[in-house]
Amino acid sequence: MKLKYKYKVLIVITIMINLAISCRKPEDNNNNNSSCNGIGTMIPYTWFDPARFPKAVIPADNQMFVERIALGKKLFYDTQLSNNGESCETCHKQSMGFSASEVSSFDNGLQKMPLVNMAWYNNFMWSGRITGTLEDVMFAELTKRFTTDFNKINTIQEYKDLFCRYYGTDNITPELMAKPLAQFMRVLVSKNNKYDRFLLGLENLSIDEKAGHDIFFTEKGDCFHCHVQVLLTDNQMHNNGLDSVYKKDIDKGFYKVTGNLQDMGKFRSSNLRNVALRTEFMHDGRFKTLEEVVNFYNKDVHRGVANIDPVMLKPGKENGLNLTELEKKQLVAFLKTLTDNDFINNPDFKQ
């Protein structure tokens, strides 16, 4: 009798367990990793800082792997990230140093900044409205610029498989997608233009290029204060006397971020690498040639602006740089040495 009783109890327990399992609510694959088997084997990406460059900081929670960078490149060129058929590449053409030939309508007329050597930045956008890491920038681009539909993205099995394999989850969120995009942004490194080779003793500059170099990196031109050696940007905010009256909202710059009048008209120093490939200059693209830019600094700076950068008011510069026509041509000649043909033709960056 005792044995039969034990069997009956066992049968009842089994039935209860089966009922509990059958009644459990099905899990949503978009909110868990039930269909994901975890991170697969990946090849570590060996990062190195080019000669004379400062040390870049790679976030500990987004270590670099070859496969993650490839995923970031795939996303960079994918129009499915937007809702209007655009991709990141729409505004950032490799042939133009990952810039573009027109201002951004989305940004109310701001010029499209080049994507170059951003691994060494901590301030981003013309107005400095994003600080932190490239992951922060990519998150903002996905959520504010593209307003990416992540319900749609999570129906794309290819992406679910790739994120599972390289990040250990198939639930694709803005925070997660920002990571491979940031990795691709990080490897967009320009390090082999004529100026770089000159610094390394591998190539000589022409007479005019060397004269322009000396203007750029001395008090004669004062360019180097904001466009520092090697990186060619100090990544800081400056008012360069471009305007005395801020007619357009976008002309207010860093003030739009801080609300501090001392920041009115301040903008982040643009990186001058591959500058000769661009067709629009300054935050609003008002100048169309390098010659126009040099002429502005030579004689058209608004020195009466209350918060103008002190560099613009140095003794002897009350009437501008006072460069001769020859010196202006020499300065432009040096700026053209900043074009990196390896960078704009690198097959690793192409679609």
Side-chain angles (χ1 to χ4, degrees), residues 92-104:
H92 301 283
K93 309 288 187 185
Q94 183 178 2
S95 62
M96 299 189 68
F98 287 99
S99 184
S101 59
E102 67 282 327
V103 297
S104 169

Side-chain angles (χ1 to χ4, degrees), residues 1-9:
M1 291 293 293
K2 288 183 179 181
L3 188 59
K4 288 184 178 179
Y5 176 77
K6 288 181 180 180
Y7 280 136
K8 288 180 180 180
V9 171

Side-chain angles (χ1 to χ4, degrees), residues 164-177:
C164 172
R165 194 177 308 148
Y166 303 144
Y167 283 95
T169 177
D170 60 3
N171 179 30
I172 307 171
T173 64
E175 294 85 354
L176 183 62
M177 184 176 281

